[in-house]
Amino acid sequence: MRTAAPFPPPFTTLRDGLQRLLRPAIGFRHPDDVVKDPDLTPGEKRAILSSWSSDACAVEGRPDLRWMLGCDEPVPLHEVLDALERLERREGRVRAAVGGEEVRAAC
């Protein structure tokens, strides 16, 4: 009999799962992964992407790259900003569709 893993991929160990709970940005390889995550609220997605775009994640000598803790390699800043813009556009469409009320959107 096959049992389900306690954490969905890519979190296969308790340590990985705890890191994700304590630092929600850990585990995302690309900004698109943040936008597509069904378990995060739009506000949480925005916070992660904003953090990723900050100077704190800048690669020394390469201001066009951002390296989030837990990622294997840096990501171009424009990809982080593009993901943030897509999230904002989606949220704007959802708010407009419900008469300006903010609701949780399934991204």
Side-chain angles (χ1 to χ4, degrees):
M1 175 183 252
R2 191 170 184 204
T3 59
F7 300 100
F11 310 109
T12 56
T13 67
L14 179 60
R15 182 177 181 203
D16 288 343
L18 288 174
Q19 282 185 335
R20 175 71 187 270
L21 290 173
L22 297 173
R23 293 186 171 202
I26 290 178
F28 293 106
R29 303 275 183 240
H30 193 271
D32 288 338
D33 298 337
V34 176
V35 174
K36 294 176 185 175
D37 190 300
D39 297 324
L40 295 173
T41 66
E44 291 168 331
K45 292 175 184 185
R46 189 180 310 107
I48 291 169
L49 292 170
S50 295
S51 175
W52 206 336
S53 69
S54 75
D55 288 342
C57 291
V59 175
E60 188 174 342
R62 293 292 309 271
D64 60 320
L65 295 176
R66 296 295 186 267
W67 205 332
M68 179 65 87
L69 179 67
C71 288
D72 294 332
E73 57 188 35
V75 175
L77 175 59
H78 73 86
E79 291 181 16
V80 179
L81 297 176
D82 289 348
L84 192 53
E85 184 179 329
R86 279 194 311 281
L87 178 63
E88 294 298 326
R89 278 197 313 263
R90 274 188 194 168
E91 278 194 66
R93 282 197 301 264
V94 170
R95 278 193 294 264
V98 294
E101 287 183 41
E102 187 167 347
V103 296
R104 182 176 175 168
C107 294

